[in-house]
Amino acid sequence: MAINCIRLITAGSDAPGMNSVVRAVTRAAIYNGLQVKAVYRGFKGLYNGEIVEFHTQNVSNIIQQGGTILRTSPCPEFTTPEGREQAYKNMTEAGIDALVVVGGDGTMMGTRIFAQEFDVPCIGIPATIDNDIYGTDTTVGYDTALNTIIDAVDKIRDTATSHQRLFFVEVRGGSAAGFLALNGAIASGCEECIIPEIEAKEDQVGQYVQNGFKKTKNSSIVLVAETKETGGALQYAEQVKREFPGLDVRVSILRHLLRGGQPSAHDRIIASRMGVASIDALMEGQRNVMIGLQNDEIVYVPFSKVIKNVKPIDKDLMDILHNLSI
Ligand code: F6P
């Protein structure tokens, strides 16, 4: 089937670099002679028919902007077969041939279901600060969020050292992922890190940090992934305070701060590469794949693989963190 027109969506949680993707997909599509219809507010806009034709100037001056100019919104209707049927009807009435969807794991899942139900070529582009998507080494937004973590932790370190305090700093991580916490901890020289993939015992954490203070440390910073499994920074801080009343403990929760800001150079580059690759994929007749980056090469990963597999974390990184925080 020859493709004439694409519909472009950003869905789920925003991530820095999504606008760089929007720019790249739009310009690559136009370069290849395709029409671009931008969908506002994610799947909600697909359902409601909120679309605007995009020309090259619609994406001028956005490569450096955080958030998503297309906006994003929950869409409970899209989780029902009737809602997806309505979205499909809107699409076909407007003469749309293919979908390019930018977002995280939930977005890939929704796109896969839609692609299975209707005869629409769909391409996914992974964009989430959490980096928790199988089939790609990195996601758009992850590098920027890591840089925001190191900036925040560097600042917290100043005050932690002045007061000789133990800080639990909570970072995001999606439903069960410690990529931000573990790599953020290594990059900012943290003393410890608590992630859902590796079981941690509260008393061990307190003991470890207390020993650190006794030996060489004037301050300690523990990065905690926000997930249910870890219980979050507040829970750890309370337990350690109870068990080690002598420690001066504080909590700092970064949360949405990590989703904002100008995308890093790395995120702008991978966003541009993945955006162009999404249009290349459609022109080659690919459908129902996510664009991934593996060993710095663009790959096409079938949605079925993306959805069925959990991206593993490199547990050796924990040893590196511990070896370097003595
Ligand atoms: O996926 C990105 C993310 O920020 C996760 O880290 C977080 O669990 C989720 O979105 C929740 O987002 P919100 O608080 O905006 O609903």
Side-chain angles (χ1 to χ4, degrees):
M1 175 176 93
I3 290 174
N4 298 308
C5 182
I6 63 153
R7 200 171 266 211
L8 171 61
I9 299 176
T10 58
S13 298
D14 61 348
M18 269 187 171
N19 283 327
S20 317
V21 176
V22 168
R23 171 182 178 269
V25 173
T26 302
R27 295 220 165 138
I30 293 169
Y31 179 82
N32 281 281
L34 305 180
Q35 214 188 356
V36 179
K37 301 268 171 110
V39 179
Y40 281 92
R41 298 197 301 133
F43 291 125
K44 189 88 177 173
L46 198 63
Y47 174 75
N48 288 337
E50 290 179 69
I51 58 160
V52 171
E53 181 161 357
F54 259 27
H55 304 283
T56 181
Q57 59 273 25
N58 288 95
V59 294
S60 293
N61 216 6
I62 65 166
I63 193 170
Q64 75 280 22
Q65 285 177 27
T68 164
I69 62 162
L70 299 186
R71 312 293 180 232
T72 177
S73 172
C75 183
E77 297 88 349
F78 203 76
T79 59
T80 67
E82 299 75 28
R84 291 190 293 274
E85 176 82 46
Q86 179 61 44
Y88 177 67
K89 254 200 202 152
N90 290 341
M91 263 189 87
T92 43
E93 276 165 15
I96 306 296
D97 298 324
L99 266 187
V100 177
V101 186
V102 187
D105 53 352
T107 300
M108 295 305 135
M109 217 176 279
T111 308
R112 188 215 179 189
I113 295 171
F114 190 73
Q116 278 177 326
E117 289 175 344
F118 305 103
D119 187 24
V120 179
C122 294
I123 305 290
I125 299 184
T128 163
I129 61 166
D130 303 330
N131 195 31
D132 58 347
I133 302 188
Y134 182 86
T136 185
D137 294 342
T138 187
T139 55
V140 174
Y142 174 57
D143 182 67
T144 305
L146 278 178
N147 279 294
T148 305
I149 290 176
I150 61 174
D151 189 41
V153 173
D154 288 352
K155 289 181 171 125
I156 290 171
R157 179 70 77 183
D158 291 343
T159 178
T161 306
S162 302
H163 289 263
Q164 300 106 67
R165 280 178 171 156
L166 160 61
F167 265 85
F168 285 90
V169 178
E170 185 175 302
V171 300
R172 305 231 84 155
S175 52
F179 296 98
L180 275 177
L182 184 49
N183 283 304
I186 291 174
S188 52
C190 286
E191 279 62 34
E192 185 56 283
C193 163
I194 301 170
I195 58 172
E197 294 89 341
I198 301 175
E199 205 186 332
K201 303 250 181 335
E202 297 81 12
D203 54 341
Q204 281 176 347
V205 173
Q207 193 67 58
Y208 172 81
V209 172
Q210 203 193 33
N211 290 344
F213 271 120
K214 276 188 203 144
K215 281 191 279 175
T216 54
K217 303 270 176 180
N218 288 318
S219 65
S220 270
I221 300 184
V222 180
L223 276 202
V224 186
E226 66 169 348
T227 62
K228 260 194 236 131
E229 289 81 353
T230 65
L234 282 167
Q235 178 181 304
Y236 272 91
E238 284 314 311
Q239 299 206 358
V240 169
K241 269 192 221 169
R242 271 199 302 277
E243 284 172 40
F244 303 92
L247 285 181
D248 193 358
V249 182
R250 292 290 188 276
V251 171
S252 187
I253 296 182
L254 302 182
R255 285 210 184 132
H256 294 88
L257 194 69
L258 302 180
R259 289 233 296 263
Q262 292 191 319
S264 66
H266 183 263
D267 276 333
R268 296 182 199 197
I269 292 166
I270 65 165
S272 303
R273 291 178 65 190
M274 288 179 174
V276 169
S278 69
I279 300 302
D280 287 346
L282 285 172
M283 302 308 279
E284 287 165 20
Q286 293 282 342
R287 52 195 295 155
N288 311 337
V289 295
M290 183 191 79
I291 306 298
L293 262 183
Q294 293 176 10
N295 302 317
D296 206 32
E297 296 284 335
I298 290 284
V299 291
Y300 303 147
V301 192
F303 282 136
S304 52
K305 272 196 166 176
V306 175
I307 304 309
K308 280 189 199 131
N309 294 289
V310 174
K311 183 169 175 177
I313 200 158
D314 179 357
K315 294 189 178 168
D316 292 346
L317 292 173
M318 196 59 111
D319 294 334
I320 291 178
L321 176 72
H322 290 153
N323 292 347
L324 298 181
S325 62
I326 49 174

